[in-house]
Amino acid sequence: MKIDSPDKLNAWKEECLQKDAKLKKKVMVCFGPGCLAAGCREIYAKFEEILAERKLGDITLESFKKTGCHGLCEKGPLVVIEPEGIFYNRVRTSQVKDIVEKTLAKGEIIERLLYKNPKTKERVLKYHDIDFYKKQTRLALRNLGHIDPDNIEDYVMRDGYQSVAKVLTGMTPEEVIDEVKLSGIRGRGGGGFPAGRKWATCRGVESDVRYVICNGDEGDPGAFMDRSIMEGDPHSVLEGMIVASYAVGARDAYIYVREEYPLAVQHLYQAIDDAKEHGFLGENIMGTDFSLDIHISRGGGAFVCGESSALMKSVAGEVGEPRAKYIHSVVKGLWDKPTVLNNVETFANIPLIMNKGGDWFRSIGTEKSTGTKAFSLVGKVENTGLIEVPMGTTLREIIYDIGGGIKDGRKFKAVQTGGPSGGCLPEDKLDLPVDFDTLTKAGSMMGSGGMIVMDDHTCMVDVAKYFLKFLVDESCGKDVPCREGLYQLHKMVVKVTEGKASEADLQLMEHLSKYIIMGSLCGLGKSGPNPFLSTVRYFRDEYLAHIIDKKCPGGVCRDLIRFEINDKCTGCTACIAPCPVDAITGEKDKIHILDQEKCTKCGACYAVCQFDAIDII
Amino acid sequence: MKIQINGRWYEAREGEMVLDVLRREGIDVPALCAHEAVEPYGACRLCMVEITHEDWGGWKGNVTSCLYPVEDKLIVQTHTEDIIELRKTVLNLLLARCPNSPEIQKLASEYGIDTTSFVPREDADNCIMCGLCTRVCTQMGFNAISVAGRGYGREIATPLKEAPPDCVGCLACVKICPTHHIQYEDIGTTREIWGRQFELVKCKQCGKALITREFADYLIENRDIPADYFDICDDCKRSGTARDFKKLVHWEEKEEAEEEVSA
């Protein structure tokens, strides 16, 4: 069925809504990355198995939906029962039968499957009432968890493709660009460049061909915002791209998605097929003379290919290496044609801006950073997962209110934002509002939205070492400061963790960092020294402790710590077996002895001791 | 158009890069990865300069001069404190990568660096990863070698690290290499480069080895060169021309002499 007019779209939406209303209950099984890892496929299969044997009145297999990420990945696999919004977490296959028999058949609540508030220890029935969700504003993630990403009807039901109808039949490209400019939306990929200005420049360049590209090459360790959107709501990305292509005058658009996101690739292909079938892509969209094809270009997983110029080379089939951008890619991009490149989250916001208006969008967030931002909140917080908050929300609100505070009651030490080349912020920066400019000023950056929380058992030098190693491995190696400079910087950080560095080394590292930033060709090198610079800026004492006192305050760097058994030891012998080098000896009920000569400082004993009897010194 | 370099105005042409002007005017700015035979690349970062413009409201920036297109009234500084410090850092890093390269040693010492502050590379060779060899190979139309791997482990390699099927042994890579890292060997009528052996065409007159059979065939086929062009070497061609010329001159002398006799 081709939808070639706004009326037809509305009629179809109505039809989908009626069909949906017939479903008395909907069981949303989360198929996000976290829940997939936790075994949601088995949960779903179990539901199918039970439903095949047992009739449940109105509830049929149609009521069961495989949705995108619900966000609270920490507690997966998740099952949400609508319309009530009953939220079951950490569901095991053995409990599926109970859900069917009790909740679905009789409407009984299974207490032990409900979310437990980590502070009050109380069970929470509905997901709207969980702090994690209450404090969020979900725009880009609006459909995640509520629709089956492979079902275009689910999307249409929730105002899907309305902006395409509105824009194509009632707005000029200039009006679209003005609306995007009015919204103030800045690129969500990290750079924070105003999208409206980018589109306007591209449209203004004289050319017969223009391109739109969606950057789905999310490569930051621990980040999965774009992945979740592509997997859980692929049509919203397509819809944003259709609007953008109409605005700048593109006939072909590309989605560059990493091959490591197989589910995203699969869902995007499905979405493109469905969109084509219904006339949202292809020739004469909405009965107008606007035509567009969206192609998928799969990346090989090089981090640097997330950089716009390297990405365009990769799409064109060349080696993914950045080039100097003295001539911007909006003027000379893919195949030397004017090209607009935005990331997944930016495109996912566009339909909302078109439907509700730029004024509405800019009423959310701060003056210079409008709207919301999705983050993947990971590390040592109670509630890890995918979140979305208005710009200007403080780090403290994100970590403590949404994240539920630091895991196991430990103390907060730092939060790393902006991906590997972002920076680490200490406790006294927790009240900073999260927006593009504030984070940059504080020595970190927004990046694409990774947020890693660290507790007091973290060594900041070790953190710098980890992220630098990532960047050393992912630098394409084209220019000298990035290739050789980051390598040498990493070597020197390693030297610090080994207690072999001097204060002169620290100075050399700072000097080298300055010139890596000044001399590097692309953003990777220009922000490459950030892991070192931001940790040395806020945690200089910790570097000095390694250098002068030869101590690691975080108790992490093996060359600078030793394990000792104290008098809390009850002689339980639990630590003897895990020690791989037989360094611990002792009899039952007597304080054990640790042979420092043999000890490899692996920490196995520390991990198993129940009595705090092992000190890291 | 005119651009200002270190306080003096110079003529520049539309489409030129700043480095083109610097080189033409003999202004000393080092650059290891820029060569007129290939497109600019921006890998070594030594040619960075500071730029500004009277219309830019005081904004200044550091750019690679090899890649920055000239514009009217551009103001360029080639030796600011920061630029010199950047070049020192880059040379310091290159010296750690290639501690045994005489070219790098010399350039580094011009900037006051005699030993590197960093950890020298183990099993160091003289390749600075400027990519000139791969770019000239592409420019020649062969694509026999390319960059492989990434980061610190990046290297110049042949496909699958085997003898490159598309190489014709033209030596463009050898000649363009700024640190003389790429090696080849001509023994008798055989040339070996990149692990592949080539037969050399011999001059039919003097027997001297001229060019590889593959390169000669390529040029004859693609560059409008006569099929027998490589039969005889340049030296023999030259002496042949001289011989013909001599005959011609002698022939004229002979005629003159005959005319005199008849007169």
Side-chain angles (χ1 to χ4, degrees), chain A residues 213-230:
Chain A
I213 302 179
C214 169
N215 184 351
D217 192 57
E218 181 178 53
D220 298 358
F224 50 93
M225 300 77 54
D226 294 345
R227 172 187 189 160
S228 298
I229 296 174
M230 289 187 287

Side-chain angles (χ1 to χ4, degrees), chain A residues 596-615:
Chain A
Q596 295 293 344
E597 292 288 302
K598 281 186 183 173
C599 178
T600 58
K601 300 165 191 174
C602 71
C605 53
Y606 183 81
V608 293
C609 181
Q610 308 256 338
F611 305 99
D612 262 349
I614 294 171
D615 294 324

Side-chain angles (χ1 to χ4, degrees), chain A residues 191-428:
Chain A
F193 191 81
R197 258 170 62 195
K198 197 186 263 188
W199 295 15
T201 313
C202 183
R203 184 165 181 84
V205 180
E206 191 89 13
S207 177
D208 51 343
V209 177
R210 293 185 191 84
Y211 294 109
V212 166
I213 302 179
C214 169
N215 184 351
D217 192 57
E218 181 178 53
D220 298 358
F224 50 93
M225 300 77 54
D226 294 345
R227 172 187 189 160
S228 298
I229 296 174
M230 289 187 287
E231 285 182 3
D233 192 16
H235 285 286
S236 69
V237 182
L238 301 186
E239 190 175 341
M241 290 176 75
I242 296 168
V243 173
S245 300
Y246 173 73
V248 304
R251 174 67 182 76
D252 286 279
Y254 291 82
I255 305 177
Y256 188 81
V257 51
R258 324 175 38 162
E259 190 71 30
E260 292 97 322
Y261 284 178
L263 202 60
V265 173
Q266 189 190 325
H267 288 182
L268 284 168
Y269 271 120
Q270 179 71 45
I272 289 174
D273 281 352
D274 290 344
K276 256 191 211 155
E277 197 191 319
H278 293 93
F280 300 122
L281 286 175
E283 303 287 330
N284 303 105
I285 300 168
M286 279 288 150
T288 67
D289 55 8
F290 174 70
S291 304
L292 175 73
D293 281 305
I294 295 183
H295 314 270
I296 290 177
S297 180
R298 293 189 282 181
F303 178 71
V304 76
C305 284
E307 195 278 340
S308 63
S309 63
L311 186 151
M312 288 177 200
K313 285 212 167 182
S314 182
V315 172
E318 293 173 44
V319 175
E321 260 178 23
R323 62 163 178 85
K325 289 190 280 189
Y326 302 135
I327 301 170
H328 295 294
S329 54
V330 277
V331 178
K332 207 173 165 185
L334 183 62
W335 288 300
D336 289 343
K337 300 291 180 190
T339 304
V340 156
L341 182 134
N342 282 122
N343 100 320
V344 170
E345 193 186 333
T346 313
F347 283 122
N349 273 304
I350 296 296
L352 286 180
I353 294 173
M354 289 300 126
N355 289 338
K356 300 190 175 185
D359 268 327
W360 164 82
F361 191 82
R362 68 174 314 131
S363 71
I364 304 161
T366 66
E367 193 195 334
K368 291 202 169 134
S369 300
T370 58
T372 58
K373 180 77 193 82
F375 292 97
S376 50
L377 182 63
V378 296
K380 300 294 170 65
V381 279
E382 286 286 348
N383 302 328
T384 59
L386 181 66
I387 64 161
E388 186 174 350
V389 289
M391 296 271 191
T393 307
T394 65
L395 285 164
R396 191 182 297 281
E397 287 171 280
I398 293 175
I399 295 165
Y400 287 90
D401 297 347
I402 296 171
I406 309 302
K407 231 185 179 119
D408 304 327
R410 299 211 66 92
K411 217 172 135 330
F412 171 88
K413 182 160 187 178
V415 57
Q416 206 269 357
T417 70
S421 38
C424 297
L425 299 175
E427 189 157 19
D428 64 13

Side-chain angles (χ1 to χ4, degrees), chain A residues 104 148 249 271 372 425 521:
Chain A
L104 294 180
D148 173 356
T372 58
L425 299 175
L521 190 153

Side-chain angles (χ1 to χ4, degrees), chain A residues 82-112:
Chain A
E82 299 282 12
E84 299 91 337
I86 300 167
F87 186 87
Y88 285 154
N89 66 173
R90 295 229 164 114
V91 177
R92 271 175 268 145
T93 38
S94 58
Q95 296 162 326
V96 170
K97 203 170 169 57
D98 267 5
I99 297 178
V100 174
E101 296 302 338
K102 292 187 179 153
T103 312
L104 294 180
K106 297 185 207 152
E108 286 172 22
I109 303 296
I110 305 166
E111 189 77 9
R112 64 181 152 60

Side-chain angles (χ1 to χ4, degrees), chain A residues 302 321 324 326 473-481 483-485 487-488 511-512 514-515 518-521, chain B residues 41-45 48 62-64 67-68 82 85-86 89 93 96-97 117-119 128-129 150-152 154:
Chain A
E321 260 178 23
Y326 302 135
D473 289 343
E474 292 296 340
S475 159
C476 77
K478 180 171 173 174
D479 72 66
V480 179
R483 181 186 68 233
E484 309 290 333
Y487 172 83
Q488 295 290 354
H511 183 268
L512 175 61
K514 179 178 172 192
Y515 291 99
M518 175 179 156
S520 289
L521 190 153
Chain B
Y41 191 55
C44 78
R45 320 305 284 174
M48 278 186 107
N62 297 307
V63 297
T64 38
L67 284 163
Y68 200 87
D82 255 353
E85 207 50 52
L86 171 81
T89 307
L93 288 165
R97 182 184 182 94
S117 327
F118 304 111
V119 186
I128 54 165
M129 283 290 134
R150 63 176 177 236
Y152 195 68
R154 184 176 165 107

